[in-house]
Structures are given as structure tokens and as C-alpha cells.
Amino acid sequence: MKILVIFTGGTIGSSSSGDYISPDGGRPYKLLDLYTQKYGAAAEFDTACPYTVLSENMDCSYYPRLLAAVNEGLSAGYDGIIVTHGSDTLQYTAAMLSYTLGLDCAPVLLVSSNYVLEDPRANGLTNMAAAVDFIAGKYGRGVFVPYANSGEPCRIHRGSRLMPHQPFDDCVYSFGDSHFGHFKDGNFIRNKDYSEKNSGIRYEIGDNCSAESGVLWINPYPGMKYPPVPADCRAVLLGSYHSGTLCTESESLRAFSEDAKSKGVPLYLTGASDGQDYESCREYEKLGIRVLPAASPIAMYIRLWLESVSKSTLGMEVPVGGDYAGSEKG
């Protein structure tokens, strides 16, 4: 079994010195050394490193480089590809790869660690082992994220179903808890409640992407004042309260929607689910707000970015639907 490991930095590729954690040029290979020491030579690993960065410093200009490295590995016929990545922006990169690679490629797994590898609390080696076992078992195709929350088995998540981290919590969850499956006692157990269907959606991005996405993402809070719509804004993603609502009585929101309309900037809302709505939601249409299907907000943010930069864009006027490029919940 041949696996390409693409190092990109993050905590899993860093070392701790004093009060700070910093990327370490030799650290990525420490992961492979530790894996081999504990699990043996389960695979032949080749390596690549398109860049090294702490994931909080990621911006959109890194995505083409990573995608090119992954596509090169896929063309070379590896059994699978492992991308080491920091946990802060893990969900964003996983969604980007999901929407650009689709469902039918060799397995691509993003592996991160909540602490540096020497820390006894670190889950990086566990996540790495799950990635290798997933590839070896041929349990799925497309993009996945193996991640072991504290005290829990290592779960395998679809790349675009990851929810944002909660503050002060390094746990990873899928939208609607719809993880793909998990490992228990060395065996992979598929989640019987998981479902998906092929949406046939894939995006292509060029070699040069600007650092900024052009998508303004705003989350509500009581008494908020909406900012002016930036001149270079391509789309606005509005977060919502847990019931899919906003303060639609806000004069600031009304002024914001008029500003967006005058500049030709579409407004989208994430966080709403199917079912009965509150009466405040009646105002969405008047305000020009298009409600997205229930999905990970991060996935919707990435998809809006891809809609605007992709060579195969569907166009910003097309309502964005589905939680996975190539896969929607059945």
C-alpha cells in the first residue's frame, strides 16, 4: 500500500518552546517515525510539502497549492492521500477539497492533532492511525477527516459536514452528528444513520487565488449594527440564531440589505432548518435574503467562495444547496 503524506504545518507539524508553539521543519517526519514505532510498516509513505503554516494563518491563496499537490498524488495512483493540517481551519480546507475533488477519488484524509505530538493528551497519532486503516480497508472514496474527541473513539467525518469548533473546545463534530463511521477495537463501523446522494457538483479553481475570499460572513447578536457592504464584496453570508432567525425589525439590517441590493451583492442565510418558521422569517424575501439548505455554515462559506472564483462556477444567482460537492443528505 502506497500513501502520499502531504505536510502543511499546523500543531501536528510543530514543536513547543516556552510559551509558544511554532512550526518545526523536522517535525512532520516525527509523525511518521512515531507511527512506524507504534504500528509498524503498514504502508509505504511518500511525502510532499507545498507550504508550512500555522493553520490560523491560512488564507485562500494557499488552497490552489494544496489542491495541486493532492491532484498530483491522485494522478500518480496512490492508494490514498493524507494531508496533515492544523485544527483551527481544518474544516475550511476539508470543505474546499470536498467541493473540488468530489466523491469518486481515492480517499483523501486530513489529519490534525489537538496538541503537539509529545503531549500525552495529543490525538494526532490516533488520527493518523485511523487514516491509514481507513485507506487500507477501502472503506470510502472522497474527502474525510478522522478525529478522536477526548474519551471517544476516532470518528470519520465527511469533509464538508464539519461544524465550527465551540470556544475553548477542540472537539470535532459533523453537521447533525452525521459522521461517516468510527473505529472501535481496530474495526471500522459505518454509521447506520448516515446517508448521502450524488449531487454531481464539483468546482475547479485557478492557480492564482487572492488571499481574501470576497465573502463577508456576519453573525448576529442583540443590538448589532451592520457594517457597510465592502465595494469588493462578492456575496454576504448571514449567520442566524439557533432557530434560523435574525432580528428582522432591525433598521440597521434593512439599511444593510438596501446597500447590498444597490451594489448587486447577494445575501444568503445559513443556520435555518426545514419546518415551521417564526413570523420574523417572513421578512427574508423582502430583505433579499436567500435561505440556504440546512448544512455546515463553514461548508456554505467555502461554497460561496468557490461559486465566485471557480472556472466551472454555477453563478452567484443560483441558490446554493447541499452540504457536500458530490454528496447531499438523502
Side-chain angles (χ1 to χ4, degrees), residues 206-234:
D207 295 333
N208 296 317
C209 288
S210 64
E212 297 178 353
S213 69
V215 178
L216 178 62
W217 188 354
I218 302 175
N219 286 297
Y221 53 86
M224 75 177 295
K225 180 176 177 61
Y226 286 80
V229 178
D232 59 351
C233 184
R234 297 189 182 103

Side-chain angles (χ1 to χ4, degrees), residues 202-206 305-314:
R202 283 184 60 185
Y203 294 90
E204 297 178 11
I205 57 176
W305 169 67
L306 286 168
E307 290 274 2
S308 65
V309 302
S310 175
K311 292 189 233 177
S312 55
T313 180
L314 299 180

Side-chain angles (χ1 to χ4, degrees), residues 75-88:
S75 297
Y78 286 95
D79 295 289
I81 296 174
I82 292 173
V83 177
T84 66
H85 199 285
S87 59
D88 279 359

Side-chain angles (χ1 to χ4, degrees), residues 226 238 246-262 265-269 280-290:
Y226 286 80
L238 298 170
L246 290 175
C247 177
T248 51
E249 293 182 352
S250 166
E251 291 299 325
S252 180
L253 175 58
R254 295 180 187 277
F256 180 80
S257 69
E258 287 298 321
D259 188 19
K261 182 179 179 181
S262 69
V265 177
L267 305 181
Y268 296 93
L269 181 133
S280 56
C281 299
R282 293 176 180 172
E283 301 298 311
Y284 289 161
E285 185 174 355
K286 297 178 184 177
L287 293 168
I289 297 173
R290 309 173 196 188

Side-chain angles (χ1 to χ4, degrees), residues 3-329:
I3 296 175
L4 175 63
V5 182
I6 300 176
F7 300 122
T8 69
T11 301
I12 199 167
S14 298
S15 59
S16 177
S17 177
D19 294 332
Y20 295 98
I21 295 172
S22 303
D24 185 335
R27 182 59 38 166
Y29 301 94
K30 181 71 172 180
L31 173 65
L32 297 183
D33 291 341
L34 291 173
Y35 175 85
T36 302
Q37 290 171 19
K38 185 169 183 179
Y39 299 101
E44 179 182 345
F45 296 111
D46 290 336
T47 62
C49 184
Y51 55 81
T52 299
V53 65
L54 289 173
S55 69
E56 61 267 29
N57 292 328
M58 284 281 294
D59 59 46
C60 295
S61 68
Y62 286 91
Y63 291 147
R65 283 181 275 174
L66 177 57
L67 182 59
V70 172
N71 276 326
E72 185 175 344
L74 292 173
S75 297
Y78 286 95
D79 295 289
I81 296 174
I82 292 173
V83 177
T84 66
H85 199 285
S87 59
D88 279 359
T89 56
L90 175 70
Q91 298 94 328
Y92 296 84
T93 302
M96 182 278 295
L97 290 175
S98 297
Y99 283 126
T100 52
L101 297 177
L103 281 175
D104 198 31
C105 66
V108 177
L109 293 100
L110 286 82
V111 171
S112 63
S113 184
N114 54 350
Y115 296 94
V116 294
L117 293 173
E118 288 82 3
D119 193 310
R121 298 169 295 177
N123 61 8
L125 193 57
T126 298
N127 298 338
M128 177 68 177
V132 174
D133 289 346
F134 189 85
I135 294 170
K138 300 181 179 180
Y139 296 120
R141 295 177 66 80
V143 180
F144 300 91
V145 173
Y147 197 90
N149 294 336
S150 179
E152 298 180 2
C154 190
R155 291 182 174 179
I156 305 294
H157 304 267
R158 270 293 185 189
S160 67
R161 293 194 180 183
L162 296 179
M163 295 295 288
H165 287 295
Q166 292 298 308
F168 313 108
D169 189 348
D170 58 29
C171 290
V172 167
Y173 298 100
S174 285
F175 169 76
D177 203 25
S178 59
H179 60 281
F180 190 76
H182 68 275
F183 280 97
K184 183 177 181 180
D185 299 327
N187 298 311
F188 180 70
I189 302 172
R190 179 81 177 251
N191 180 6
K192 62 181 178 60
D193 296 323
Y194 179 89
S195 65
E196 63 187 22
K197 60 183 179 180
N198 195 341
S199 68
I201 299 170
R202 283 184 60 185
Y203 294 90
E204 297 178 11
I205 57 176
D207 295 333
N208 296 317
C209 288
S210 64
E212 297 178 353
S213 69
V215 178
L216 178 62
W217 188 354
I218 302 175
N219 286 297
Y221 53 86
M224 75 177 295
K225 180 176 177 61
Y226 286 80
V229 178
D232 59 351
C233 184
R234 297 189 182 103
V236 174
L237 181 63
L238 298 170
S240 61
Y241 295 121
H242 80 94
S243 53
T245 58
L246 290 175
C247 177
T248 51
E249 293 182 352
S250 166
E251 291 299 325
S252 180
L253 175 58
R254 295 180 187 277
F256 180 80
S257 69
E258 287 298 321
D259 188 19
K261 182 179 179 181
S262 69
K263 295 174 179 175
V265 177
L267 305 181
Y268 296 93
L269 181 133
T270 183
S273 57
D274 297 332
Q276 190 175 30
D277 289 327
Y278 289 88
E279 64 177 20
S280 56
C281 299
R282 293 176 180 172
E283 301 298 311
Y284 289 161
E285 185 174 355
K286 297 178 184 177
L287 293 168
I289 297 173
R290 309 173 196 188
V291 180
L292 300 176
S296 162
I298 287 177
M300 294 296 94
Y301 167 78
I302 290 295
R303 184 163 175 191
L304 283 176
W305 169 67
L306 286 168
E307 290 274 2
S308 65
V309 302
S310 175
K311 292 189 233 177
S312 55
T313 180
L314 299 180
M316 292 300 298
E317 294 305 312
V318 177
V320 176
D323 66 330
Y324 183 69
S327 161
E328 296 179 0
K329 294 177 73 176

